[in-house]
Amino acid sequence: MDAQTLGTLSPLRLERAPPLLMAAGLIVWGWQNGLMLYAVPMALTLEATRWVAWRWAVTDREFNLVSDLSSVIFLIVVLYVFTDKGAKGIFVLLSLMPFVFFLLLLVQMYSEAGRVRLSALFISLRRLDPRYSPEARAEVDLSLPYFVTCLVSASAGNRYEDAFFFVVGILLGVVLWTVRPRRYPPALWIGTLVLATALGYLGQVGLIRLQWAVESSLMQVFDRFLWRYRDPNRATTAIGSIARIKLSDRIVLRAKTPQPLTRALLLREASYDTYSYGIWSNRDYEFISVDPDITGTIYALSPVPTRDRITLSTYLIEESGVVPMPLGATRIGDTNATAVDRNSHGAIRLEARKGWVRYTAGYGDGPDPDAPPEERDLKIAVSYGTDFQRLADRLGLDALPPNLAVSAVRDFFADGFTYSLTQRHRYPRGRYLTEFLFETRSGHCEFFATATVLLLRAGGVPARYVVGYAVDEYSPLERQYVARARHSHSWAEAWVNGAWVTLDTTPSVWAPLEDEQASAFEGLFDLWSWLAFNYARLRTSDDREEESDYGALLWLLIPLISVLAWRLYFKERVARGGKPAAAAALRSRQGMDSSFFAVIAELERRGFDRRPGETVAAWMDRLRAQSGIEFSSEPLALHYRCRFDPAGLSVNERHILDAEVRRALTEFARRAIANSLPGTTSG
Amino acid sequence: MLKRLLYHNFRIVYRLSQWTRQRFTPAGLLILGCVIASGIFGVNTRQTLAYQIFALTAAMLVLSLLCCAWFRAGFRISRRLPEYGTVGEPLHYRVRIENRSRRHQRDLCLIDELHADFPAFEEFRAARDPEDRRRNWFDRSVGYPRLMGMLRNRRGAALAPLPVPDVPALDRAELDVNMTPIRRGYLRFEQARLARPDPLGLTRAIQTHASSDQLLVLPRLYRVPRLELGGHRRYQRGGVSLASTVGDSQEFISLRDYKPGDPLRAIHWRSFAKLGRPVVREFQDEFFVRQGLVLDTFLGGRSTQSFEEAVSIAASFAASSRAQDSLLDLMFIGAQAYRFTAGRGVAYAQNMLEILACVAPCPGDDFARLDQLVMQNIAETSGLICVFLDWNEPRRNLMQRMTTLGVPACAFIVTADPAVVSAVEAADGNGQRLVAVPPAAVQQTMDRFNPSVGRA
Amino acid sequence: MRSADIYQAIADNIGKVIKGQQPAVRRLLAAFVSGGHVLLEDVPGTGKTTLAKALARSIDAEYHRVQFTPDLLPTDILGVSIFDQRDQGFHFHRGPIFTSILLADEINRASPRTQSALLEAMAETQVSVDGMNYNLDPLFFVIATQNPIEYHGTYPLPEAQMDRFAMRFHLGYVEAENEIAILSEQNRRHPLDDLKACAGKDQVLALRRQAADIRISDEIKAYIVDLIRATRAASGVLNGASPRASLALMKASQTLALFDGMEFVSPDHIQELAVPVIAHRLMLDPQARFAGITARSVVDEVLRQVPVPI
């Protein structure tokens, strides 16, 4: 009979996860997401199958039911999370995945079959005829995929970056160890795994760098075309340019107030003191940093008590930028900025990582602590000097005390001036203001502001030009106030009795008129802007909003789960069979004390396996033929007599057998060393 | 046009899925899934830590694939196939793997595969798959499952990768492979693949061996009732040379005097004793039962599933007939008219099954040829079992003629068309049994069929 | 002479005529000495007749050959009572079955009635005709042959009847050098003609008695029974081997042990004879046959799986 090795092993498939691996996966998930309260009982329930014996005989229909239920749960969770969180919901969903599939795993672990049919998971397979489509009958063990899901869900927690990598590495290493091919020595496996881990570590560091590089180049493209920034030393006005002033609808600023605004709120970005041919400018005033308080989160700007606050978000395209602040700002808090600077002319500059910056500005009733006026705050350029002087004289501003002068200027502009965005006529350079003042009496806010400042200066009141935004529009989509590019505004501030006072002479109808400029596509652009804003917020991952309450979700699931439990409970519960029936009664076996067994054991230890149906003699023959192992036939014959001859061996023959065995063993050992026969260990 | 584009896409998709299934172990597929999932969620490295999982698992897979570039050990693979298989019955065959290298080989994996030509575009377009009814609209219109169904059918059986037991150096190992054929006819092997895993156990290095074999798969067999058609035994010309004597040979009709040359065995000794002179028995001619099994092979636009079930029904009758005391004639039209006889020492049932395994349908509907074949042999036929694919004028006429000639017949009409089914049920058999058999419920119909009811 | 030597002498004697078939000759002699009958299933021309003749010559025993044809009657085998006019009584003329060694050639070509006549006589070792019992030769040994390929005009033995044969095996074609040797030797005279006896019938009977004395341990008996029972549980088998098979296996193994000069049966003897003794007794599910399972494969599988005593 040929010596053959027979194998009738089952096809390769994914096996049950090793003990406690699923529990480890769940614990990691709970650890990362702060859901340990749920993870621990889930882990215990799943792993308890190793100690608890009873099982349910779950039919195909019941598996289908559980699978469908899991899909329904999944859909409900998806809907809830996305309506609550918006686009950010995808990561919340990721962190909830172990919940969604827990039921399916539970049923699998406690079922008799221990595996789930593919047709339960994929509806399209349920209707196929198994005669023609054998994959309808295929089964799968979900424990390892569930473990992987737990790991990927754990990554959504986004904490403990350094520890997470190695924890995942260790757990995956455990999984790989169980499927390790036996043909390689463990040292090779360990080496490969270590190499893979090292590569992975370098890879993940590389991925972070890669993302930064990609993002910064993207952002530069992004920023160049989408966002404006305020230069604290130079503001270009539209005075002197023909055509219709049209600033875009682009939302540049978002504001959230605790109470709704009763009227438009002015936000100041910077003030300038030198005007020349349509450009207001400053000397390069130094920015001085503002120190935060002890907590490190609040930057005090003025000692005036805070009456109200407003939370603003806007974009910085560089590492720092000037941001709009409410008038009378007292402090900045709750910001993702890393530093706050201010200059003497009221510009507040925040330093933050490029991108979206958010800050809460508190403001009060006091004046802005800008630097007191200097000579240039009274200076008017020569070309305008005469006209404004004339007007100032006409109004008698010199004689008036400053506050009355301010009122007089206000009254002057309130009477007979209209707001307009169009400049039709072309004038020589430097004539536009004069024409505005005396002829047309119509213009946009920059005209009004510039004229006001120059007029006040002509009347002997130091004044500066201020640019900023007017916040008035509430966006229901964003549930906060928005300021668009066309909401940018200019006004004047005058030095009255030792403090700077705001004077806005632009007719108040300007806002509605601006709104009429809204384009038809504003809604669409707003949506895009909102998405971009949220994307920007996501990127900086700085969401301090309250976590939504998931209690409502649980209430929805409880009735579903109780229905399922009721259905399964009232089905038969099949007790898992106890230990198999005791093995057949031991047959009497004679001669089991033959010393030849030592030879058999030695050969097996060296890796020469005997097939179950192979007699010792046939095995020896095979070994001789294949591996050249020689044994003298004497001990084998004696062993056979010892075992199979009812007459057995005499005492003398026993001694002979023992002696022969000893000799054979030593001979074998000697030859083994000489020929360096493989001493392969099993396993 | 769109279909052609889809078809080429499918080729690529199919190749890719085959490659993945062969190259990756189940653990490797799990890690691949992990790579994909963590890749999707890890795009933003600031939002989640999935990029770490991605980096780690991708590194494992890449390293694993690199380790699988080299597999050079010498092997020889041979198969020992059984004589036959039957559709729907699992069969086992042995694969012997000889290790020609000096290394003890472990953890090998055998990926045996049956050969199938990828369907050409025309065949894909013209294919009609009965399983399509159960698929959803998307699958039906796109056609990928249909294409896969065609490939599966061409292969004949599904073979999964199997682990190979350890093969010692210069020794061999044998492996039992299970497969369940899903169609009749010849199954062909062209090559076998042997794979070894990489150190991590995620991917496989594969070497391909040319090893061609073929195996004949007999049609699916159903339980069918014994049909006692109650026909008369007909005189069979050729008597003893055609089949051995049974029973009758002891019966003699007359005695006559011994003539020199008569075999001594024919002497009737009792009469000899009584009369004192040798007396010889005279034997009756051979009469026994000869049943006809008529198979309708004219597809004429009907579904191939009906044809397959018709072949299975014919095969079931052939397999269940007790060949000891009657003959069974199989008649069908292929490239020419075929009549094959089995039973009573002429041939075994399995020879008939071999023929049925290879029967191909005839296009068109030229029933007259089959009619002619049956009528040629009607004189010797005691009873007729017919398996038809339709119930129309020529077939009705054949049955009618059987009634006229007094030959009991039973017809099984395999059809899913409800109009034909109701026509069959409404038809008056004139004593002949007519049974409509829906292709999807053959076994139930056969179990319900009671042969004794309604005999002539 | 020692029994092992007797066996060796007979085997060598036969070996002069039948070349290259030592395992088959060994089995044949094991069946012969153990009192069972043999079914040779083989293609034509492999030397079955020569083998039977050689055996008969070697032990100086009577030998008859019956060619089974479809019209063979039971009386042609058993014998017939003929009325003798002189005595006015019936005399029983013995048929060819009354011999030591009977070669029943192509047993599957006879009708089932004739087959059963022979098989019953084999089982009962006596023939009953017309109310009288006639005993067969004490050394009565049947070698039946069957041609596995031809089916035209054959009645293969049903499995229930196969049980009566202790062993079934085949000779097969020999190796090339042996075939060349056959050509050389049988050029002028058939070696069978020169074959002389080397043992006597009584010596063979003595061997039979000695075989029954060979010791067999309980463990080996349990192994035999395990094998037989495993065949009943094997997949694809409708009816496994009966206790008759266990008996036949035991007896044949004892004989083999005797031939090898051992006083007890070893598991190797059991394994050597398992397939010839058991395979033909298994009734396979026809579906299994069409799925490629053969009786031989079932027994091979059982031999591999059932743990053998070491």
Side-chain angles (χ1 to χ4, degrees):
Chain A
M1 191 175 61
D2 296 348
Q4 292 157 346
T5 320
L6 186 66
T8 45
L9 311 171
S10 63
L12 302 170
R13 59 182 190 181
L14 216 52
E15 293 297 335
R16 178 64 61 89
L20 299 181
L21 188 75
M22 272 196 296
L26 278 168
I27 300 289
V28 169
W29 165 71
W31 163 57
Q32 279 279 334
N33 285 301
L35 291 168
M36 284 294 255
L37 187 62
Y38 302 101
V40 171
M42 282 163 76
L44 282 174
T45 323
L46 284 183
E47 294 292 344
T49 56
R50 294 189 198 276
W51 303 291
V52 173
W54 51 254
R55 297 279 182 274
W56 274 325
V58 186
T59 66
D60 282 350
R61 262 199 63 226
E62 283 157 353
F63 266 127
N64 291 355
L65 180 71
V66 173
S67 171
D68 293 339
L69 187 61
S70 293
S71 313
V72 166
I73 293 176
F74 179 66
L75 282 172
I76 291 175
V77 170
V78 163
L79 281 171
Y80 191 90
V81 164
F82 274 102
T83 51
D84 192 51
K85 292 273 173 191
K88 189 177 191 275
I90 186 86
F91 298 106
V92 175
L93 185 65
L94 179 64
S95 63
L96 292 180
M97 292 306 265
F99 280 128
V100 173
F101 296 118
F102 179 67
L103 201 56
L104 196 55
L105 251 295
L106 197 63
V107 172
Q108 181 202 287
M109 299 295 277
Y110 282 98
S111 71
E112 271 210 323
R115 297 173 82 88
V116 178
R117 284 257 158 86
L118 273 185
S119 53
L121 300 175
F122 299 104
I123 297 184
S124 59
L125 288 180
R126 287 185 201 173
R127 290 179 295 163
L128 292 183
D129 186 345
R131 295 195 303 178
Y132 302 109
S133 315
E135 72 264 18
R137 285 235 175 276
E139 290 183 333
V140 68
D141 189 315
L142 293 175
S143 53
L144 276 174
Y146 187 71
F147 165 72
V148 165
T149 310
C150 288
L151 283 188
V152 179
S153 298
S155 73
N158 207 18
R159 296 191 234 171
Y160 313 111
E161 287 111 22
D162 302 317
F164 186 69
F165 181 81
F166 292 105
V167 167
V168 166
I170 289 170
L171 288 180
L172 283 178
V174 168
V175 172
L176 289 183
W177 176 262
T178 58
V179 296
R180 174 177 78 87
R182 298 282 179 272
R183 78 188 261 135
Y184 302 105
L188 182 60
W189 182 86
I190 291 174
T192 317
L193 190 65
V194 165
L195 185 60
T197 312
L199 283 176
Y201 189 79
L202 291 175
Q204 58 107 11
V205 170
L207 280 175
I208 299 178
R209 297 263 164 83
L210 182 68
Q211 181 174 1
W212 278 359
V214 167
E215 275 184 345
S216 53
S217 54
L218 262 185
M219 273 307 123
Q220 281 179 12
V221 170
F222 211 47
D223 296 336
R224 204 145 305 286
F225 301 107
L226 290 198
W227 301 100
R228 285 168 44 158
Y229 65 98
R230 180 61 60 197
D231 183 352
N233 296 325
R234 186 184 176 88
T236 311
T237 68
I239 296 172
S241 52
I242 309 283
R244 209 154 182 273
I245 309 298
K246 178 145 180 55
L247 291 172
S248 76
D249 312 319
R250 202 182 316 123
I251 297 175
V252 298
L253 177 68
R254 288 171 168 86
K256 208 173 206 156
T257 54
Q259 307 293 332
L261 292 175
T262 47
R263 58 197 188 101
L265 182 68
L266 286 179
L267 301 175
R268 175 172 78 141
E269 284 187 283
S271 46
Y272 305 87
D273 54 10
T274 309
Y275 180 71
S276 168
Y277 295 123
I279 298 179
W280 279 97
S281 59
N282 278 336
R283 263 208 336 226
D284 194 357
Y285 294 109
E286 194 188 335
F287 275 91
I288 302 167
S289 80
V290 178
D291 292 322
D293 69 344
I294 298 175
T295 64
T297 55
I298 299 184
Y299 300 83
L301 298 171
S302 117
V304 174
T306 306
R307 175 172 57 82
D308 208 351
R309 52 173 60 97
I310 180 170
T311 305
L312 297 161
S313 0
T314 184
Y315 222 91
L316 295 180
I317 54 164
E318 319 231 304
E319 296 293 320
S320 65
V322 172
V323 295
M325 294 291 289
L327 298 171
T330 55
R331 51 185 256 177
I332 294 176
D334 198 26
T335 174
N336 62 337
T338 49
V340 176
D341 306 346
R342 66 194 314 180
N343 73 359
S344 56
H345 277 54
I348 308 283
R349 186 172 70 179
L350 295 183
E351 268 174 43
R353 217 156 47 160
K354 242 189 320 190
W356 168 78
V357 68
R358 200 266 317 268
Y359 53 101
T360 302
Y363 56 101
D365 293 335
D368 289 308
D370 289 354
E374 295 172 5
E375 205 189 343
R376 75 187 56 181
D377 296 292
L378 283 169
K379 197 161 164 217
I380 308 174
V382 171
S383 45
Y384 309 110
T386 40
D387 295 307
F388 278 91
Q389 201 57 53
R390 196 157 34 95
L391 182 56
D393 289 341
R394 191 153 61 105
L395 294 175
L397 295 177
D398 265 349
L400 292 171
N403 52 338
L404 293 178
V406 164
S407 311
V409 169
R410 180 183 291 123
D411 294 275
F412 170 70
F413 282 106
D415 178 24
F417 276 85
T418 56
Y419 182 81
S420 149
L421 287 168
T422 329
Q423 178 68 36
R424 286 217 175 75
H425 300 279
R426 181 180 228 99
Y427 302 111
R429 206 164 87 131
R431 292 289 305 167
Y432 287 88
L433 276 176
T434 323
E435 290 300 324
F436 162 74
L437 268 184
F438 304 113
E439 300 301 324
T440 63
R441 294 171 185 239
S442 176
H444 65 281
C445 56
E446 285 169 337
F447 275 102
F448 282 94
T450 310
T452 307
V453 170
L454 294 180
L455 187 56
L456 282 169
R457 285 185 182 180
V461 178
R464 286 180 182 154
Y465 175 79
V466 185
V467 297
Y469 291 91
V471 174
D472 190 34
E473 182 182 338
Y474 183 78
S475 160
L477 171 67
E478 307 206 13
R479 289 183 289 179
Q480 55 188 341
Y481 289 94
V482 298
R484 303 174 187 275
R486 54 184 164 79
H487 291 145
S488 63
H489 195 45
S490 327
W491 59 94
E493 61 182 5
W495 181 255
V496 173
N497 294 336
W500 289 100
V501 169
T502 305
L503 175 57
D504 184 6
T505 49
T506 313
S508 58
V509 298
W510 76 270
L513 277 173
E514 290 281 356
D515 283 345
E516 281 174 35
Q517 309 298 320
S519 81
F521 294 111
E522 186 178 274
L524 213 55
F525 289 144
D526 282 356
L527 187 62
W528 159 248
S529 174
W530 175 69
L531 287 172
F533 167 59
N534 278 312
Y535 170 69
R537 270 176 53 188
L538 285 178
R539 277 190 50 244
T540 50
S541 71
D542 191 12
D543 182 31
R544 249 45 103 57
E545 294 178 14
E546 320 81 57
E547 293 295 315
S548 288
D549 173 28
Y550 286 105
L553 196 63
L554 280 178
W555 286 118
L556 196 58
L557 288 179
I558 282 178
L560 283 171
I561 292 174
S562 24
V563 164
L564 180 74
W566 174 80
R567 286 219 57 199
L568 287 177
Y569 179 79
F570 281 110
K571 288 284 177 183
E572 295 164 40
R573 277 205 334 251
V574 177
R576 197 182 191 196
K579 291 261 176 204
L586 289 166
R587 299 206 184 107
S588 57
R589 299 209 282 172
Q590 68 172 68
M592 289 307 286
D593 52 349
S594 159
S595 44
F596 195 79
F597 282 109
V599 177
I600 295 175
E602 174 66 20
L603 284 170
E604 282 180 341
R605 196 184 67 80
R606 288 195 177 271
F608 299 104
D609 291 323
R610 182 188 66 89
R611 296 156 184 150
E614 202 176 17
T615 61
V616 180
W619 183 36
M620 295 286 167
D621 284 340
R622 180 166 67 89
L623 287 181
R624 186 179 312 125
Q626 286 176 3
S627 317
I629 313 266
E630 285 276 352
F631 276 103
S632 78
S633 54
E634 264 252 38
L636 182 61
L638 281 172
H639 170 71
Y640 261 44
R641 279 190 54 200
C642 178
R643 285 280 285 124
F644 304 125
D645 190 350
L649 286 179
S650 67
V651 175
N652 205 24
E653 285 165 331
R654 276 273 167 160
H655 289 315
I656 298 177
L657 174 62
D658 295 340
E660 291 284 335
V661 165
R662 271 196 299 274
R663 186 142 52 93
L665 281 174
T666 38
E667 180 71 23
F668 181 58
R670 189 186 62 80
R671 247 191 263 154
I673 295 169
N675 303 349
S676 54
L677 281 171
T680 51
T681 53
S682 58
Chain B
M1 184 61 231
L2 183 64
K3 264 217 157 39
R4 199 177 276 275
L5 198 63
L6 280 175
Y7 169 76
H8 286 297
N9 261 354
F10 290 159
R11 261 197 114 108
I12 297 171
V13 167
Y14 172 70
R15 291 255 161 79
L16 193 65
S17 78
Q18 286 290 90
W19 181 85
T20 314
R21 216 173 301 180
Q22 289 184 353
R23 274 280 164 184
F24 288 89
T25 63
L29 286 173
L30 183 75
I31 298 292
L32 183 66
C34 194
V35 167
I36 294 173
S38 57
I40 291 173
F41 287 106
V43 171
N44 184 351
T45 62
R46 280 194 287 270
Q47 185 65 32
T48 65
L49 294 178
Y51 68 95
Q52 289 185 343
I53 304 180
F54 174 78
L56 182 60
T57 47
M60 284 176 184
L61 271 189
V62 166
L63 206 57
S64 187
L65 280 170
L66 283 177
C67 287
C68 280
W70 181 265
F71 186 25
R72 286 284 175 271
F75 290 96
R76 204 169 85 91
I77 301 183
S78 57
R79 295 188 195 88
R80 224 171 42 209
L81 293 169
E83 225 187 331
Y84 303 115
T86 306
V87 174
E89 299 290 326
L91 68 87
H92 312 259
Y93 67 93
R94 281 268 155 78
V95 177
R96 177 180 292 182
I97 298 164
E98 288 173 26
N99 181 3
R100 294 220 171 119
S101 69
R102 293 195 174 276
R103 246 198 95 180
H104 185 97
Q105 296 283 354
R106 315 178 77 162
D107 288 313
L108 292 176
C109 171
L110 175 74
I111 308 174
D112 210 357
E113 61 184 58
L114 286 162
H115 176 76
D117 293 316
F118 198 82
F121 178 63
E122 300 308 326
E123 294 166 320
F124 167 55
R125 206 166 41 172
R128 302 265 170 276
D129 189 353
E131 281 293 293
D132 257 357
R133 271 180 295 110
R134 302 187 205 223
R135 297 196 181 109
N136 56 54
W137 167 85
F138 180 75
D139 282 339
R140 241 180 293 156
S141 58
V142 166
Y144 186 70
R146 198 164 62 239
L147 187 65
M148 290 300 109
M150 276 177 78
L151 259 179
R152 259 202 306 272
N153 205 35
R154 285 192 180 191
R155 286 234 157 85
L159 285 171
L162 286 178
V164 173
D166 294 358
V167 195
L170 301 172
D171 194 3
R172 56 178 186 267
E174 287 210 343
L175 180 60
D176 228 15
V177 182
N178 256 11
M179 70 174 175
T180 307
I182 57 173
R183 67 157 172 92
R184 62 184 172 92
Y186 280 103
L187 263 54
R188 293 198 164 83
F189 292 92
E190 301 261 308
Q191 59 192 21
R193 291 203 162 98
L194 205 56
R196 69 143 175 86
D198 74 296
L200 287 178
L202 299 178
T203 56
R204 301 187 184 116
I206 298 178
Q207 51 170 235
T208 308
H209 296 262
S211 166
S212 56
D213 279 297
Q214 76 180 19
L215 167 72
L216 181 61
V217 175
L218 306 175
R220 184 188 298 269
L221 295 176
Y222 294 105
R223 284 188 306 273
V224 290
R226 294 287 313 277
L227 276 188
E228 309 290 340
L229 286 176
H232 306 295
R233 287 184 294 187
R234 302 297 183 103
Y235 168 63
Q236 306 293 344
R237 282 171 308 201
V240 165
S241 66
L242 186 57
S244 308
T245 61
V246 167
D248 279 355
S249 64
Q250 293 294 319
E251 296 295 312
F252 53 94
I253 50 170
S254 63
L255 293 167
R256 58 175 174 79
D257 279 337
Y258 174 81
K259 283 201 280 275
D262 284 331
L264 276 178
R265 141 171 329 124
I267 294 179
H268 192 236
W269 298 103
R270 296 225 143 84
S271 310
F272 188 2
K274 270 201 236 151
L275 301 175
R277 63 174 192 281
V279 169
V280 157
R281 289 171 285 195
E282 200 148 9
F283 292 105
Q284 194 185 29
D285 285 319
E286 292 314 311
F287 282 76
F288 49 84
V289 171
R290 187 176 194 142
Q291 284 190 354
L293 178 60
V294 176
L295 177 64
D296 180 2
T297 50
F298 299 104
L299 256 193
R302 301 172 194 106
S303 80
T304 46
Q305 196 199 7
S306 302
F307 180 69
E308 294 297 322
E309 296 301 335
V311 171
S312 289
I313 293 173
S316 313
F317 277 112
S320 72
S321 69
R322 288 283 152 255
Q324 296 296 349
D325 45 6
S326 63
L327 291 180
L328 187 65
D329 285 332
L330 172 67
M331 289 177 265
F332 64 93
I333 304 290
Q336 57 188 67
Y338 292 102
R339 176 165 163 254
F340 179 76
T341 309
R344 274 198 70 150
V346 180
Y348 295 143
Q350 61 198 55
N351 302 104
M352 190 174 277
L353 290 179
E354 281 177 29
I355 292 176
L356 282 170
C358 301
V359 165
C362 257
D365 202 358
D366 193 5
F367 193 78
R369 294 169 66 193
L370 187 60
D371 196 289
Q372 190 183 12
L373 176 62
V374 174
M375 295 314 292
Q376 264 170 3
N377 299 298
I378 200 66
E380 292 161 343
T381 309
S382 311
L384 208 61
I385 305 174
C386 302
V387 185
F388 291 141
L389 295 175
D390 199 354
W391 184 242
N392 53 9
E393 181 85 28
R395 292 165 177 86
R396 271 200 296 269
N397 287 346
L398 179 65
M399 297 303 286
Q400 190 60 40
R401 223 156 336 145
M402 293 300 118
T403 315
T404 320
L405 289 170
V407 175
C410 180
F412 295 91
I413 297 100
V414 184
T415 176
D417 188 353
V420 177
V421 171
S422 43
V424 167
E425 280 164 8
D428 172 24
N430 284 354
Q432 314 283 28
R433 290 300 306 279
L434 301 171
V435 184
V437 183
V442 175
Q443 185 65 75
Q444 287 104 299
T445 315
M446 286 300 164
D447 287 338
R448 267 202 316 262
F449 176 61
N450 190 343
S452 53
V453 170
R455 279 173 64 167
Chain C
M1 280 203 297
R2 277 179 53 229
S3 10
D5 297 331
I6 300 178
Y7 153 73
Q8 199 56 51
I10 300 176
D12 292 338
N13 213 25
I14 297 177
K16 290 183 198 161
V17 183
I18 309 280
K19 296 256 185 278
Q21 298 277 16
Q22 282 87 344
V25 170
R26 187 169 146 94
R27 281 181 206 150
L28 182 76
L29 288 174
F32 179 43
V33 172
S34 66
H37 305 283
V38 162
L39 177 64
L40 282 183
E41 198 167 75
D42 224 339
V43 291
T46 42
K48 304 186 279 287
T49 318
T50 318
L51 180 61
K53 276 196 200 160
L55 176 61
R57 291 250 174 121
S58 302
I59 57 172
D60 198 20
E62 200 183 338
Y63 161 77
H64 279 165
R65 175 170 183 250
V66 178
Q67 179 71 41
F68 278 55
T69 54
D71 58 349
L72 197 72
L73 296 174
T75 50
D76 296 333
I77 300 176
L78 302 177
V80 66
S81 291
I82 299 185
F83 184 73
D84 189 349
Q85 259 207 316
R86 289 190 293 271
D87 302 12
Q88 294 292 315
F90 282 94
H91 289 284
F92 179 63
H93 281 248
R94 291 168 180 241
I97 199 174
F98 290 90
T99 177
S100 294
I101 297 180
L102 175 69
L103 177 66
D105 224 349
E106 296 191 76
I107 191 175
N108 57 336
R109 290 193 65 207
S111 65
R113 199 134 67 89
T114 315
Q115 287 171 355
S116 37
L118 171 64
L119 293 168
E120 275 165 34
M122 275 161 57
E124 291 167 27
T125 61
Q126 66 179 15
V127 171
S128 333
V129 172
D130 287 344
M132 298 277 292
N133 288 341
Y134 302 92
N135 279 332
L136 295 173
D137 193 292
L139 213 54
F140 179 55
F141 178 54
V142 175
I143 303 178
T145 70
Q146 203 167 248
N147 186 339
I149 295 184
E150 258 193 53
Y151 46 72
H152 190 102
T154 64
Y155 286 96
L157 281 176
E159 280 93 346
Q161 304 283 33
M162 297 276 240
D163 214 14
R164 306 222 185 259
F165 290 96
M167 284 193 209
R168 177 186 72 170
F169 53 94
H170 67 277
L171 289 174
Y173 296 123
V174 294
E175 296 291 313
E177 54 264 21
N178 288 320
E179 215 167 315
I180 295 171
I182 291 175
L183 292 176
S184 315
E185 285 174 9
Q186 296 189 16
N187 196 10
R188 293 187 204 285
R189 290 168 63 78
H190 201 290
L192 199 56
D193 302 336
D194 300 328
L195 205 60
K196 298 277 184 296
C198 63
K201 280 170 64 169
D202 39 335
Q203 279 174 309
V204 176
L205 285 169
L207 277 183
R208 228 178 240 188
R209 282 192 299 274
Q210 282 162 20
D213 289 336
I214 297 290
R215 297 189 287 274
I216 176 163
S217 77
D218 289 336
E219 201 178 347
I220 301 287
K221 287 181 191 161
Y223 180 55
I224 294 176
V225 168
D226 281 342
L227 287 177
I228 303 296
R229 289 173 78 88
T231 62
R232 294 178 200 151
S235 70
V237 174
L238 273 182
N239 228 10
S242 65
R244 201 184 278 159
S246 323
L247 210 53
L249 187 53
M250 185 182 80
K251 288 197 179 155
S253 311
Q254 286 174 311
T255 318
L256 268 195
L258 183 68
F259 290 168
D260 288 341
M262 290 163 72
E263 291 175 0
F264 60 96
V265 177
S266 84
D268 302 84
H269 297 134
I270 310 285
Q271 290 200 339
E272 190 182 339
L273 291 174
V275 169
V277 169
I278 301 176
H280 61 287
R281 300 167 198 263
L282 301 180
M283 200 183 303
L284 292 183
D285 187 359
Q287 299 280 50
R289 261 193 318 123
F290 294 140
I293 298 180
T294 63
R296 202 211 151 104
S297 69
V298 170
V299 180
D300 279 337
E301 179 72 20
V302 163
L303 278 175
R304 280 195 192 94
Q305 304 281 28
V306 174
V308 65
I310 55 168

